[in-house]
Coordinates of all heavy atoms in Angstrom, one line a residue:
R1 N 100.0 87.0 93.1 CA 99.3 88.3 92.7 C 98.0 88.4 93.5 O 97.7 89.5 94.0 CB 99.1 88.3 91.2 CG 100.3 88.6 90.4 CD 99.9 88.9 89.0 NE 101.0 89.4 88.1 CZ 101.6 88.6 87.2 NH1 101.2 87.3 87.1 NH2 102.6 89.1 86.5
Q2 N 97.2 87.4 93.6 CA 95.9 87.5 94.2 C 96.0 87.8 95.7 O 95.3 88.6 96.3 CB 95.1 86.2 94.0 CG 93.7 86.3 94.5 CD 92.8 85.1 94.1 OE1 92.8 84.7 93.0 NE2 92.1 84.5 95.1
L3 N 96.9 87.0 96.4 CA 97.1 87.2 97.8 C 97.7 88.6 98.1 O 97.2 89.3 99.0 CB 98.0 86.2 98.4 CG 98.5 86.3 99.8 CD1 97.2 86.4 100.8 CD2 99.3 85.1 100.3
L4 N 98.6 89.0 97.3 CA 99.2 90.3 97.5 C 98.2 91.5 97.3 O 98.2 92.4 98.1 CB 100.4 90.5 96.5 CG 101.3 91.8 96.7 CD1 102.0 91.7 98.1 CD2 102.3 91.9 95.6
E5 N 97.4 91.3 96.3 CA 96.3 92.4 96.1 C 95.4 92.4 97.2 O 95.0 93.5 97.7 CB 95.6 92.1 94.8 CG 94.5 93.1 94.4 CD 93.8 92.8 93.1 OE1 94.1 91.8 92.4 OE2 92.8 93.5 92.8
A6 N 94.9 91.3 97.7 CA 94.0 91.2 98.9 C 94.7 91.8 100.1 O 94.1 92.6 100.9 CB 93.6 89.8 99.2
F7 N 96.0 91.5 100.3 CA 96.7 92.0 101.4 C 96.8 93.6 101.4 O 96.5 94.2 102.4 CB 98.1 91.4 101.4 CG 99.0 91.7 102.6 CD1 98.7 91.1 103.9 CD2 100.1 92.5 102.6 CE1 99.4 91.4 105.0 CE2 100.8 92.8 103.7 CZ 100.5 92.2 104.9
R8 N 97.2 94.1 100.3 CA 97.3 95.6 100.2 C 96.0 96.3 100.3 O 95.9 97.4 100.9 CB 98.0 95.9 98.8 CG 99.4 95.4 98.7 CD 100.1 95.9 97.4 NE 100.5 97.3 97.6 CZ 101.2 98.0 96.7 NH1 101.5 97.4 95.5 NH2 101.5 99.2 96.9
T9 N 94.9 95.7 99.7 CA 93.6 96.3 99.9 C 93.2 96.3 101.4 O 92.6 97.3 101.9 CB 92.6 95.5 99.1 OG1 92.9 95.6 97.7 CG2 91.2 96.1 99.2
T10 N 93.5 95.2 102.1 CA 93.1 95.2 103.5 C 93.9 96.2 104.3 O 93.4 96.8 105.2 CB 93.4 93.7 104.0 OG1 92.6 92.8 103.3 CG2 93.0 93.6 105.5
L11 N 95.2 96.3 104.0 CA 96.0 97.3 104.7 C 95.5 98.7 104.6 O 95.4 99.5 105.5 CB 97.5 97.2 104.3 CG 98.3 95.9 104.6 CD1 99.7 96.1 104.1 CD2 98.3 95.6 106.0
E12 N 95.0 99.0 103.4 CA 94.5 100.3 103.1 C 93.2 100.5 104.0 O 93.0 101.6 104.5 CB 94.2 100.5 101.6 CG 93.7 101.9 101.3 CD 94.7 103.0 101.6 OE1 95.9 102.7 101.6 OE2 94.2 104.1 102.0
D13 N 92.4 99.5 104.1 CA 91.2 99.6 104.9 C 91.5 99.8 106.3 O 90.9 100.6 107.0 CB 90.3 98.3 104.7 CG 89.7 98.2 103.3 OD1 89.6 99.2 102.6 OD2 89.3 97.1 102.9
L14 N 92.5 99.0 106.8 CA 92.9 99.1 108.2 C 93.5 100.5 108.6 O 93.2 101.1 109.6 CB 93.9 98.0 108.6 CG 93.4 96.6 108.5 CD1 94.5 95.6 108.7 CD2 92.2 96.3 109.4
R15 N 94.2 101.0 107.6 CA 94.9 102.3 107.9 C 93.9 103.4 108.2 O 94.1 104.3 109.0 CB 95.7 102.7 106.6 CG 96.4 104.1 106.7 CD 97.1 104.4 105.4 NE 98.2 103.5 105.3 CZ 99.4 103.6 105.9 NH1 99.6 104.6 106.7 NH2 100.4 102.7 105.7
S16 N 92.8 103.4 107.5 CA 91.8 104.5 107.6 C 90.7 104.2 108.6 O 89.7 104.9 108.7 CB 91.2 104.7 106.2 OG 90.5 103.6 105.7
D17 N 90.8 103.1 109.4 CA 89.8 102.7 110.4 C 90.3 103.0 111.8 O 91.1 102.3 112.4 CB 89.5 101.2 110.2 CG 88.3 100.8 111.1 OD1 87.9 101.5 112.0 OD2 87.8 99.7 110.8
P18 N 89.7 104.1 112.4 CA 90.2 104.5 113.7 C 89.8 103.5 114.8 O 90.3 103.5 115.9 CB 89.5 105.8 114.0 CG 88.2 105.8 113.1 CD 88.6 105.0 111.9
A19 N 88.9 102.5 114.5 CA 88.5 101.5 115.5 C 89.5 100.4 115.7 O 89.5 99.7 116.7 CB 87.2 101.0 115.2
V20 N 90.5 100.3 114.7 CA 91.5 99.2 114.8 C 92.6 99.7 115.7 O 93.2 100.7 115.5 CB 92.0 98.9 113.4 CG1 93.1 97.8 113.4 CG2 90.8 98.5 112.5
R21 N 92.9 98.8 116.7 CA 93.9 99.2 117.7 C 95.2 98.4 117.5 O 96.3 98.9 117.7 CB 93.3 98.9 119.1 CG 92.1 99.7 119.4 CD 92.3 101.2 119.7 NE 91.1 101.8 120.1 CZ 90.7 101.9 121.4 NH1 91.4 101.4 122.4 NH2 89.6 102.6 121.7
V22 N 95.0 97.1 117.2 CA 96.2 96.2 117.0 C 95.9 95.2 115.9 O 94.7 94.7 115.8 CB 96.5 95.4 118.3 CG1 97.8 94.6 118.2 CG2 96.5 96.3 119.6
V23 N 96.9 94.9 115.1 CA 96.7 93.9 114.0 C 97.6 92.8 114.1 O 98.8 93.0 114.4 CB 97.0 94.7 112.6 CG1 96.9 93.7 111.5 CG2 96.0 95.8 112.4
L24 N 97.1 91.6 114.0 CA 97.9 90.3 114.1 C 97.9 89.6 112.7 O 96.8 89.5 112.1 CB 97.4 89.4 115.1 CG 97.8 89.6 116.6 CD1 97.3 90.9 117.1 CD2 97.3 88.5 117.5
I25 N 99.0 89.2 112.2 CA 99.1 88.5 111.0 C 99.6 87.1 111.3 O 100.6 86.9 112.0 CB 100.2 89.1 110.0 CG1 99.8 90.6 109.8 CG2 100.2 88.4 108.7 CD1 101.0 91.4 109.3
H26 N 98.8 86.1 110.9 CA 99.0 84.7 111.2 C 98.7 83.8 110.0 O 98.2 84.3 109.0 CB 98.3 84.3 112.5 CG 96.8 84.2 112.3 ND1 96.1 83.0 112.5 CD2 95.9 85.1 111.9 CE1 94.8 83.2 112.3 NE2 94.6 84.5 111.9
S27 N 98.9 82.6 110.2 CA 98.6 81.6 109.1 C 97.5 80.7 109.5 O 97.4 80.2 110.7 CB 99.8 80.8 108.8 OG 99.5 79.7 107.9
L28 N 96.6 80.5 108.6 CA 95.5 79.5 108.8 C 95.9 78.1 108.2 O 95.1 77.2 108.3 CB 94.2 80.0 108.1 CG 93.6 81.3 108.7 CD1 92.5 81.8 107.9 CD2 93.1 81.0 110.1
V29 N 97.1 78.0 107.7 CA 97.6 76.8 107.1 C 98.6 76.1 108.0 O 99.6 76.7 108.4 CB 98.3 77.0 105.7 CG1 98.8 75.7 105.1 CG2 97.3 77.8 104.8
P30 N 98.3 74.9 108.5 CA 99.2 74.2 109.5 C 100.6 74.1 108.9 O 100.8 73.7 107.7 CB 98.5 72.9 109.7 CG 97.1 73.1 109.4 CD 97.1 74.1 108.2
G31 N 101.6 74.3 109.7 CA 103.0 74.0 109.4 C 103.7 75.0 108.6 O 104.9 74.8 108.2
I32 N 103.0 76.1 108.3 CA 103.7 77.2 107.4 C 103.1 78.5 107.8 O 101.9 78.7 108.0 CB 103.5 76.9 105.9 CG1 104.4 77.8 105.1 CG2 102.0 77.1 105.5 CD1 105.9 77.4 105.1
F33 N 104.0 79.5 107.9 CA 103.6 80.9 108.0 C 103.5 81.5 106.6 O 102.4 81.8 106.1 CB 104.6 81.7 108.8 CG 104.3 83.2 108.8 CD1 103.1 83.7 109.5 CD2 105.1 84.1 108.2 CE1 102.8 85.1 109.5 CE2 104.8 85.5 108.2 CZ 103.7 85.9 108.8
C34 N 104.6 81.5 105.9 CA 104.6 81.9 104.5 C 105.9 81.5 103.8 O 107.0 81.7 104.4 CB 104.5 83.5 104.4 SG 104.6 84.1 102.7
A35 N 105.7 80.8 102.7 CA 106.9 80.3 102.0 C 107.6 81.3 101.1 O 108.6 81.0 100.5 CB 106.4 79.1 101.1
G36 N 107.1 82.5 101.1 CA 107.8 83.6 100.3 C 107.1 83.9 99.1 O 105.9 83.6 98.9
A37 N 107.8 84.5 98.1 CA 107.1 84.8 96.8 C 106.8 83.5 96.1 O 107.4 82.5 96.3 CB 108.1 85.6 96.0
D38 N 105.7 83.6 95.3 CA 105.3 82.5 94.5 C 106.2 82.3 93.3 O 106.1 83.0 92.3 CB 103.8 82.7 94.0 CG 103.2 81.4 93.4 OD1 104.0 80.6 92.8 OD2 102.0 81.2 93.5
L39 N 107.2 81.3 93.4 CA 108.2 81.2 92.4 C 107.6 80.6 91.1 O 108.1 80.7 90.0 CB 109.3 80.3 92.9 CG 110.1 80.9 94.1 CD1 111.3 80.0 94.5 CD2 110.6 82.3 93.8
K40 N 106.5 79.8 91.2 CA 105.8 79.2 90.1 C 105.3 80.4 89.2 O 105.4 80.3 88.0 CB 104.8 78.2 90.5 CG 105.3 76.9 91.0 CD 104.2 76.0 91.4 CE 104.8 74.7 91.9 NZ 103.7 73.7 92.3
E41 N 104.6 81.3 89.9 CA 104.1 82.5 89.1 C 105.2 83.3 88.5 O 105.2 83.7 87.4 CB 103.3 83.4 90.1 CG 101.8 83.0 90.2 CD 101.0 84.1 90.9 OE1 101.5 85.2 91.0 OE2 99.9 83.7 91.4
R42 N 106.3 83.4 89.3 CA 107.4 84.3 88.8 C 108.1 83.6 87.7 O 108.6 84.3 86.8 CB 108.4 84.5 90.0 CG 109.5 85.5 89.6 CD 110.5 85.8 90.8 NE 109.8 86.4 91.9 CZ 110.5 86.7 93.0 NH1 111.8 86.5 93.1 NH2 109.9 87.2 94.0
A43 N 108.2 82.3 87.6 CA 108.9 81.6 86.5 C 108.2 82.0 85.1 O 108.9 81.9 84.1 CB 108.9 80.1 86.7
A44 N 107.0 82.3 85.1 CA 106.3 82.7 83.9 C 106.4 84.1 83.5 O 105.8 84.6 82.5 CB 104.8 82.2 84.0

């Protein structure tokens, strides 16, 4: 939930910023881009 909320808020900021030309999405965690939905959160 927290990552998703931050992601959507950031996208809204980028959408309205005319100075943004190109957006790159990458991982700061070695060995993984994204494991998908958080199944531990979903289990609850």
Side-chain angles (χ1 to χ4, degrees):
R1 285 191 173 103
Q2 183 173 313
L3 175 54
L4 188 64
E5 181 179 355
F7 186 72
R8 297 187 73 179
T9 299
T10 300
L11 293 182
E12 185 59 32
D13 292 340
L14 296 175
R15 175 182 297 278
S16 58
D17 188 344
V20 178
R21 304 285 184 87
V22 189
V23 176
L24 277 63
I25 304 161
H26 69 120
S27 171
L28 296 170
V29 180
I32 192 73
F33 173 70
C34 176
D38 190 329
L39 297 183
K40 290 183 179 179
E41 276 193 16
R42 189 180 295 182

